[in-house]
Amino acid sequence: MIDALQKELTETKEALADRLDALQIKYEESLSINEVLRKKNAALSSTRRDIKNFLASTDLASVFISDDFKIKLFTPAAERLLNINSYNLAIPLDKNPCSFIDLATLDEAKLVLKSLQPREKEIEVNGRWFLQKILPYRSEKNVENGVVLTFHDI
């Protein structure tokens, strides 16, 4: 009886040791994956900072609009020129209190998204004249994913 219990105990210890080894391997794999993800995250953060600095340094007023016509992103120049802020994000443009996007601009943005043909017109904002361009926005998979409005001082 004692021999049987010792044998069962030995088998249980071996099984637990095998499970412990398997868990150790999984733990080491997860550490390795976490390191890869940490490096990718750091690279993405660096790229995001680079893009943010680039957009700020160009001083080009740009507004990125999603395919469901909500503001996704805007440059610092757009924030200053058009008096928009984070409150304007994710609100449908037809309900958004942005003075620069009227129903005609919204209709043109819809046309650009449908036709994929850029449009432009001269507009006045705060007593200054700008060339407003509406361009299709393509995702990394080359799928239309909204439009970009840019305002060039003329």
Side-chain angles (χ1 to χ4, degrees), residues 127-140:
R128 293 169 51 199
W129 284 92
F130 293 86
L131 179 63
Q132 178 192 57
K133 292 185 178 184
I134 306 174
L135 307 142
Y137 178 88
R138 295 182 188 269
S139 70
E140 61 190 31

Side-chain angles (χ1 to χ4, degrees), residues 59-86:
D59 206 34
L60 177 64
S62 300
V63 181
F64 299 82
I65 299 173
S66 65
D67 56 357
D68 57 350
F69 299 98
K70 297 176 183 175
I71 296 175
K72 294 191 311 186
L73 177 71
F74 49 85
T75 62
E79 183 175 16
R80 288 187 306 274
L81 174 69
L82 306 170
N83 197 26
I84 57 178
N85 57 43
S86 59

Side-chain angles (χ1 to χ4, degrees), residues 32-59:
S32 176
I33 290 169
N34 280 344
E35 182 60 22
V36 168
L37 291 174
R38 188 193 65 72
K39 287 179 181 177
K40 285 184 179 184
N41 211 8
L44 284 172
S45 293
S46 176
T47 300
R48 184 178 188 283
R49 282 189 306 273
D50 291 346
I51 290 171
K52 187 175 179 181
N53 280 306
F54 173 75
L55 290 174
S57 69
T58 62
D59 206 34

Side-chain angles (χ1 to χ4, degrees), residues 19-20 23 59 67 71 95 100 103-104 112 117 143 151:
R19 288 185 182 162
L20 182 61
L23 286 174
D59 206 34
D67 56 357
I71 296 175
K95 295 175 178 51
F100 71 96
L103 291 177
V112 168
Q117 297 300 313
V143 175
F151 299 86

Side-chain angles (χ1 to χ4, degrees), residues 21-22 24 26 30 47 52 56 65 72-73 75 86 103-104 113 116-118 121 123 126 143 146-147 153:
D21 288 344
Q24 185 66 33
K26 292 290 184 190
S30 69
T47 300
K52 187 175 179 181
I65 299 173
K72 294 191 311 186
L73 177 71
T75 62
S86 59
L103 291 177
L113 189 59
L116 305 179
Q117 297 300 313
K121 67 179 179 181
I123 64 167
N126 300 329
V143 175
V147 296
D153 200 353

